[in-house]
Amino acid sequence: MAPVFPTGDLNPRVETKASSFVSQFPDYDGRGITIGILDTGVDPGAIGLSRLPEGVIGDKKLVHVADCTGSGDVAMDTDAMAVQEEKGWVIKKGLFGKEIILNPALNLQPFPDIDTKANSDSDEEKKEDDEKKEEDSEDDKIKMPVRIAFKRAYELFPNKLTTRVKKHYAKEFDKEQHRHAVIVHRELAAWNAEYGGSKNITKEQLREKDDLTAKLDVLEMKNLPATDPLKEDPGALYQIILFYDGENYRVIIDTDGTDSTGDLSQLPADKAMTDYYKEYQYGTFSNVDMLNYAVNIYQEGKVVSIVCDAGAHGSHVAGIAARYHPDAEGEEETEANGVAPGAKLISLKIGDSRLGSMETGTAMTRAMIEAVKHKCDVINLSYGEGCVRPNSGRFVALAEQLVYKHGIVFVSSAGNNGPALTTVGAPGGNSECIIGVAAYVSPKMMEAQYSMRSKIDTEEHPGTTYTWSSVGPTSDGAQGVDITAPGAAITCVPNWCLQRNTLMNGTSMSSPNATGCIALLLSAAKAEGIKMTPTRLRRAIQNSAIEMPGLTCLQQGFGMINVEGAWDYIKNSKDDAHEDINFKVHIIGRPGSPRGIYLRQAQECATKQTFSAQVNPIFGNGDDVDVETQMKRVEFEMKFRLESDSDWVEVPDYFMLMHNGRSFKFDLDPTKLSTGVHTAKIYGYDSSKPGLGARFYVPITVVKPMGEQATIELGELEFEPNEVKRFFVDVPKDATWMDVSVKDTRDPDIDKETTSRLMVLHTLQLLPHMAYRDAEEQKYFNLLPGQETVTSIPVHAGITCELDIGRYWSAQGKSNVEVDVRFRGVVPVPNELTMLSGKGGVKARLHSNIYDEYILPKAKLSNWKSPLGPTSAVISPCDERDILTSNNQQVHQLVLTYEFENKEAGSITPRCPALQGVIYESAFESQMMLIFDEDKKYLGVADSWPSAVKIPKGKITIRMQVRHNNVKKLEKLKDLSIWIERKLSKEITLPAFKSRASMVTEGIKAKRSLLRKGSNTAVFFGEPAAADIPSEAKCGDILMGSATFEDGEASLPGAGKQPGGTSIHYVVGTKTKEEKEKAKTPEAPDERSVEEKMEEAIKKVKVEHLEKLSEKEDDAEKFISLSEKLSEEYPGYLPLLMASLKFYDKKDSRSDKLSEVTNAADAVIDAIDENALAAHFGVKHDEEDAEICKIRKDYEEKKSFLIEALARKARAVADDDTKDQSTFDTIFKHLQKWTDTDAKKFAVLSLEKQKNAKRYGSMLKLLTTLLENDGKDTKDGICPMTKKDLLEKRKEVLETLNYTHLQQRDAKWGVIASIKNFALF
């Protein structure tokens, strides 16, 4: 009989005894319990996440979804009216320029507290007279208010999905490009066949070829600017229509986007969505993406949140915890279930789609608020980061309220950053109120999930935590890892992944497994009427966990979560009120009041020490002052028996505890301990109930390093499966890096194998107020027999360094390596170099106390950063999602706006040193920067760990949001500066000199030399050449880079120098402007009489007054009247004639006055003697003759008037349907006599000329060139064109050419360029 596939091991439940527990108690399968999944979001359509088992109240498993990040938020900022007609509810003009028709069965009602008569149509509708007339004729029809907006698909999609969808549409796009290009290539071949090589080619024939070439440039994406929008797929644009049905706000999303006809009348009325938790509605954007979405509506219909996941992670996590999987016949497939299949789920998306699914402080706070609102019993967070200070910050304070006040159990991943000690992440491994879970892999999991050889010998490959599973303790001595659970599963993923299930591993998977186990326990307790608190539950789990062999408490915490054992503990202790008391422990007299003892330095381990542990009993959330709780505090007394599990820790036998806490002293003697890591615990047992397990404990970790040595030979090391060998070294004084050599000692001739072995090297030093990640090096490598690798790692002298060598958990076969460590160092003083401008340079004193070292100083600058102050700072309350449940306080936001002009397209990294680099331990709830171009198009985002954002040339706006419920704290940040960091286009090499005199005189430069052990020398770096400094750099800007001093010659092992080098900064000073000497134009004496001068001045003032009247449409009649009077008074006065021409040629009113424009232009042209003008400019004038210079100036003015008049006349004729095309051509040729009509300020005429000649390729080329600078090159012309104008014009040309695919792309970018307001945070 064939073996049965071990399906049950795909989502492990045997190891935790969850499977046997549910078999024994089938009704305790999580029913009655709601699990909150704080993650990337959960797909409501994922397999196994839609239904609950038979017999469970309610049929929906996923009962609420919320995007807590704001990444799906859409401001519904365009008001419109829907008119009830026979064909449906009609919105005359949507955001994509088309009529929108909604199902007539929809129940549209007035918005609450809004008078429909007061509701007007959009501004664009008001401007158009024909629509006004139509409105008047519809007064008897029913109108209802709606709001419309749009959202880009790629702002919603997960990164992986965006990549897949772009690839799909790129194929379709390229197919169309190729089809049209083939036609143009044929036309070009025909041209070459007819005219190629001919010496009699006319200019018109060449223009015909240029036109074809220009078409190919677009169709083959050649010679287009890098920033041209045609080169980038904007993705779908989803139009959103919001209305009110008298009870709920509802949303319809037109997922056909700009390709939609606008006719949604056939969309069933029940597809209009409201908040997910009310009706459990969700939709799918398209069959290409297969991304499911739901909505929530906030701020009385002013914000719609489109909820879709930012990655597959969240659905997988949800599947582990609570998937329920009926088979095709509806019968339950128990082996494919999650741990707690009867539990309900709530999806709280904290992975921000804008950040590639990284979490934010805003999202975490909102998720905790939602968890309370929707009555979660337990929440899971499979996220985490290294932290600077454990168990501190705003997040921890809010999490403690969630746990201790609202009674919600909080479970989180411990981290995937092992195998070194103290790699547990925040919050899971560092926050006392959260249960942190390590990741375990059992032999059954290895076999079923990883297809490792069946019937694994458990001695060869026993169960273990994964190599990368984070390890305790925390930096303040707490254990870090609380429990262990299976850390991998093959379970459900979102539909957009185009598969049902996938394998994922990590503490991200062990955490929901433990969460599912906890849901079983809570379900059982609820069914049997046992009141549970997070404290009671945690103690039951800790005291019943199964200690796994071969693992330390720092790896596994208390051990594998044991559902059956925990349930026994809960039942046995259900009547013990002390189980609900949270005993907080900290060590007195140590910096930061640590939660345990953690000794790492050699001097700390050299003597016996006495410590005091403070124990404080906490009732409830600590702030409760009701009579019952207060009396519990008054009456509380507890007698403890203390025990140490190690003979090097001595404790008193007894300890009496009352409310307000007490302390006890204990002795710790590390002097007799061997080198390496040692752990101990002091347990506090209730002396009256010792069998229930410890009520509190004091964790102790001692790391005893090897003595200081310059070279350490660890010798040949043999590894068991997943074994990690830990070495702790006392880094020698003046060491700056170490070379770690690892050699595989297998001999292929003897061992008869050539397969590689996957090994890990992990080094780590703990520095005050720095996360572990800031002083660690981790490297995985596959070693072949006999292969050696040398890794150079920077170190901090005098700080114990952990050096781990490990065999990867899944590696099979013999693993033997030889390891040597060699410390090196040339120490610069100071260790950070800063030079101010002014030729002073900077000096570095160098010394080496370990070995003789050859030095060759080098320095280069690679980055540039500029400070930026805010242009505005506004504090306002956030919305209903941001009211803290613990004290009903409203969270406020400070929005800071920063603006700057970017001279060249490139990338920037926004830096905010005060707020970045932290999440969970931050004093503020969060900070986020959104970056926009001058059209308010969203460009990118920066959060705690910013990355580069591509920005175009032009005005850039950065809006930063900082949140907190304390407005006073926000007030202090209103003048907060940020820094804009860029990479230099070319690195700047700084010269190095042996003396200050050489540096100042730019004399002899430093050369390679020998620095003897124990000796000193100095080197001087000169400042960069003025020509190398970016032209846009301002005084106070900083150029940053690194300096190295060692000669890293190729013959040396490893890098041969300190990795990363020493930081060096240059502060930019003032710049001297070099102005070329220019001769002054001579001025002739003004020989006019006083009366003549006065008359001329009066004439100018009158014309200036006339020009001011042209600015307002209401003054049009006054302008015409005064113009006629002045024309009689000053006939033929050119400035007056030009004022009239510009008046009639105003952009907003010219369409009805084209004949007046033509007449006004003729008046200017007729007033100028063109023959005299030509004669004057036909000869070179004497630049030293004052009288001739004056005449030249007058003629230049006349010429400019003539050119402008001809240009305006040509444009008016082109726009006048009654005029013949030849008339335009005549005027255009006339204009060409006086100026270069190819100049960009005449672009509107060049486009008309090419249009008349049907040279659409040339039109595209010119429009593309103008778009490169967003039309700014036309601002001094007769018709300045905005980016929106150019995109609209190009769309028309593409439509004429039948390049529909390009026209649709341009149309989308045109819509995006017309955004009214900045995107929401």
Side-chain angles (χ1 to χ4, degrees), residues 585-603:
V585 177
H586 71 269
I587 307 302
I588 299 173
R590 300 278 288 181
S593 297
R595 293 170 290 163
I597 300 293
Y598 190 13
L599 308 181
R600 276 182 71 102
Q601 292 298 103
Q603 57 270 35

Side-chain angles (χ1 to χ4, degrees), residues 65-107:
V65 298
D67 181 355
C68 302
T69 69
S71 59
D73 283 6
V74 185
M76 304 303 296
D77 51 12
T78 300
D79 291 323
M81 277 290 181
V83 180
Q84 191 175 45
E85 297 184 5
E86 186 176 342
K87 61 184 176 181
W89 290 97
V90 178
I91 303 167
K92 293 174 191 172
K93 191 175 181 182
L95 296 177
F96 303 155
K98 299 173 185 175
E99 180 182 72
I100 302 172
I101 308 172
L102 304 178
N103 190 323
L106 290 172
N107 180 28

Side-chain angles (χ1 to χ4, degrees), residues 839-900:
K839 305 294 185 182
V842 65
K843 180 183 80 170
R845 179 172 61 84
L846 309 178
H847 63 270
S848 173
N849 288 327
I850 301 178
Y851 298 106
D852 293 348
E853 295 280 1
Y854 278 98
I855 61 171
L856 182 60
K858 295 178 182 178
K860 59 184 179 183
L861 303 174
S862 54
N863 288 53
W864 156 41
K865 64 180 181 181
S866 305
L868 200 59
T871 57
S872 71
V874 179
I875 296 175
S876 61
C878 299
D879 62 29
E880 64 266 36
R881 290 173 285 183
D882 305 302
I883 299 173
L884 301 177
T885 53
S886 57
N887 50 20
N888 209 35
Q889 286 188 347
Q890 175 72 63
V891 174
H892 284 67
Q893 64 174 352
L894 165 64
V895 177
L896 296 153
T897 302
Y898 305 84
E899 298 173 344
F900 67 96

Side-chain angles (χ1 to χ4, degrees), residues 939-952:
L939 300 173
V941 62
D943 194 58
S944 296
W945 287 276
S947 54
V949 175
K950 289 183 179 179
I951 61 171

Side-chain angles (χ1 to χ4, degrees), residues 896-918:
L896 296 153
T897 302
Y898 305 84
E899 298 173 344
F900 67 96
E901 194 70 25
N902 191 48
K903 300 299 182 183
E904 292 183 9
S907 295
I908 63 166
T909 304
R911 305 278 186 193
C912 182
L915 300 175
Q916 288 173 338
V918 291

Side-chain angles (χ1 to χ4, degrees), residues 304-461:
V304 169
S305 173
I306 302 175
V307 188
C308 46
D309 52 86
H313 194 268
S315 297
H316 195 271
V317 164
I320 292 172
R323 173 178 176 176
Y324 170 65
H325 193 280
D327 63 16
E329 286 73 39
E331 295 298 323
E332 184 178 358
E333 288 186 10
T334 56
E335 289 194 334
N337 282 346
V339 179
K344 293 179 180 179
L345 292 170
I346 287 179
S347 171
L348 302 172
K349 177 182 173 183
I350 54 97
D352 197 305
S353 298
R354 297 166 294 192
L355 292 163
S357 80
M358 181 179 166
E359 77 273 42
T360 66
T362 295
M364 294 301 304
T365 300
R366 283 179 172 173
M368 289 189 282
I369 292 170
E370 289 290 304
V372 174
K373 280 184 182 177
H374 292 271
K375 297 180 171 54
C376 287
D377 298 283
V378 55
I379 61 175
N380 178 86
L381 174 67
S382 289
Y383 269 73
E385 309 286 343
C387 70
V388 174
R389 294 182 63 225
N391 202 44
S392 66
R394 178 169 167 78
F395 168 82
V396 170
L398 295 175
E400 287 179 344
Q401 290 288 321
L402 178 89
V403 173
Y404 299 126
K405 181 171 183 176
H406 298 289
I408 298 174
V409 180
F410 200 153
V411 186
S412 183
S413 51
N416 303 328
N417 305 295
L421 304 185
T422 317
T423 49
V424 283
N430 277 279
S431 306
E432 191 170 354
C433 64
I434 297 174
I435 298 172
V437 189
Y440 184 86
V441 57
S442 68
K444 289 181 178 292
M445 293 166 63
M446 296 177 193
E447 185 177 342
Q449 297 180 27
Y450 295 95
S451 301
M452 294 175 70
R453 289 194 298 269
S454 57
K455 296 183 180 179
I456 294 172
D457 182 352
T458 54
E459 292 184 5
E460 171 63 22
H461 259 85

